[in-house]
Amino acid sequence: MKAYRKELWFDVPIRRAFLNITPQVEEALAESGVREGLVLVNAMHITASVFINDDESGLHHDFEVWLERLAPEKPHAQYRHNNGEDNADAHLKRSVMGREVVVAVTNGRLDFGPWEQIFYGEFDGRRRKRVLVKIIGE
Ligand code: ZN
C-alpha cells in the first residue's frame, strides 16, 4: 500500500471565503501515484472547513448568508469565547460546514458525483493556514 501526505497552505486576505481546491487535490493525487484508494482532505485549523459542494457563485453567497444567520460575526460581545478573541462565529461556522472530506480514488481519478468539487471554507482569514491531504491505496 502507498501512503502520501501533503500540506496545502492558504493565506486568504479577507475574513471569509470559499476556495475551490479540487485542482490542488488532483495534483496531490497525481504526485502520489495512487490509482485505487482514498483521499482524505481536512482543515488543520478549528476556524476553517473542507467540504464538497457545487462551484456556483449564487450558492456560495447563500452559504455566506445562511452561516451569518446561524452564527453572526457581530456583535463580537455576544459570544463567551470572544474573551480576548473575536472569532467565536468562525468556530461555529467551521463545525457546521465540517472538518474533512473523503473521496474515493478510482482508476487514478477522484471519483466524484455530478458537480462535486472540494472547497476550503475560510471563516477567520488574514493569516496562513493549512489543509492536510492524505492519500492511501495502491
Ligand atoms: Zn477562537
Side-chain angles (χ1 to χ4, degrees):
M1 189 194 77
K2 289 178 187 160
Y4 181 83
R5 181 186 190 278
K6 185 177 190 180
E7 292 178 3
L8 307 176
W9 285 85
F10 301 97
D11 192 350
V12 175
I14 54 178
R15 184 162 171 121
R16 286 189 294 278
F18 298 125
L19 309 180
N20 186 338
I21 62 170
T22 310
Q24 291 97 314
V25 177
E26 286 173 337
E27 190 181 323
L29 178 57
E31 290 160 3
S32 76
V34 168
R35 304 284 301 168
E36 298 293 328
L38 294 172
V39 178
L40 166 75
V41 187
N42 70 269
M44 297 182 81
H45 301 260
I46 52 180
T47 54
S49 289
V50 171
F51 63 96
I52 290 181
N53 219 298
D54 193 0
D55 194 1
E56 196 277 305
S57 60
L59 180 65
H60 297 174
H61 172 80
D62 295 340
F63 272 131
E64 164 66 17
V65 170
W66 177 66
L67 288 167
E68 269 297 287
R69 208 179 290 144
L70 282 175
E73 178 193 339
K74 293 172 182 167
H76 292 139
Q78 74 188 299
Y79 299 107
R80 288 193 189 182
H81 178 69
N82 288 343
N83 182 13
E85 286 198 77
D86 68 356
N87 67 1
D89 69 301
H91 290 276
L92 299 174
K93 287 164 176 148
R94 188 281 175 130
S95 292
V96 168
M97 295 303 285
R99 171 183 182 266
E100 77 276 308
V101 300
V102 176
V103 182
V105 176
T106 303
N107 201 22
R109 306 210 47 184
L110 298 172
D111 202 343
F112 284 135
W115 305 108
E116 285 191 331
Q117 294 283 287
I118 304 170
F119 291 90
Y120 174 68
E122 178 60 80
F123 305 117
D124 185 22
R126 297 168 295 195
R127 55 198 168 103
R128 277 166 56 75
K129 290 161 87 169
R130 287 177 291 168
V131 166
L132 176 65
V133 180
K134 183 82 182 193
I135 304 171
I136 56 171
E138 53 192 10

